[in-house]
Amino acid sequence: MLCKVRKRVGGGRRISRQIRELTFQMVAENPHWGAPRIHGELLMLGFEVSESTISRWMRRAPKSPQPAKRWLSFLRNHREAIAAMDFFHGTDVHLQRAVLPLHHQP
């Protein structure tokens, strides 16, 4: 009588808890980043993991961070552009005072 051994489907290694938690943290802090961006960030940190694995784990990440966290993430990601913006006072065609943004190019 022959005994069948079940093989695991999908031949990759399991990823560590550290990579999963780091992926979940990146998804929570940067909700507009996709799998390619998070995969690239993990590669730069020295973690060897495939983009498809990151994509699969991103779907399992806790959803919907609080709006305040999303706003804080936006401010952190764009702080250089925000800091380079000045405002000047002027008047419009109705002689009303207006405060207008003046964006500096680096």
Side-chain angles (χ1 to χ4, degrees):
M1 181 176 270
L2 293 173
C3 181
K4 291 186 178 184
V5 176
R6 293 182 69 177
K7 291 171 63 174
R8 199 170 77 171
V9 178
R13 303 183 311 253
R14 292 186 182 268
I15 65 170
S16 69
R17 178 181 299 260
Q18 181 185 16
I19 295 174
R20 285 194 304 261
E21 289 175 358
L22 194 54
T23 301
F24 292 163
Q25 180 182 352
M26 286 183 183
V27 168
E29 292 177 359
N30 307 289
H32 299 292
W33 284 8
R37 174 73 185 264
I38 292 177
H39 175 250
E41 295 292 326
L42 289 172
L43 287 177
M44 285 191 287
L45 292 171
F47 294 105
E48 291 292 326
V49 63
S50 72
E51 186 178 324
S52 61
T53 299
I54 296 302
S55 177
R56 187 170 53 249
W57 280 101
M58 283 178 67
R59 285 184 239 126
R60 297 178 186 179
K63 302 289 185 225
S64 175
Q66 297 171 349
K69 286 189 178 181
R70 290 191 301 233
W71 179 245
L72 186 59
S73 173
F74 172 81
L75 291 175
R76 282 186 188 138
N77 290 338
H78 299 286
R79 66 179 152 234
E80 291 84 15
I82 293 170
M85 186 178 291
D86 288 332
F87 294 92
F88 69 93
H89 295 274
T91 56
D92 62 9
V93 294
H94 302 291
L95 300 177
Q96 297 287 325
R97 187 171 212 183
V99 178
L100 305 167
L102 176 66
H103 186 69
H104 296 281
Q105 296 294 328

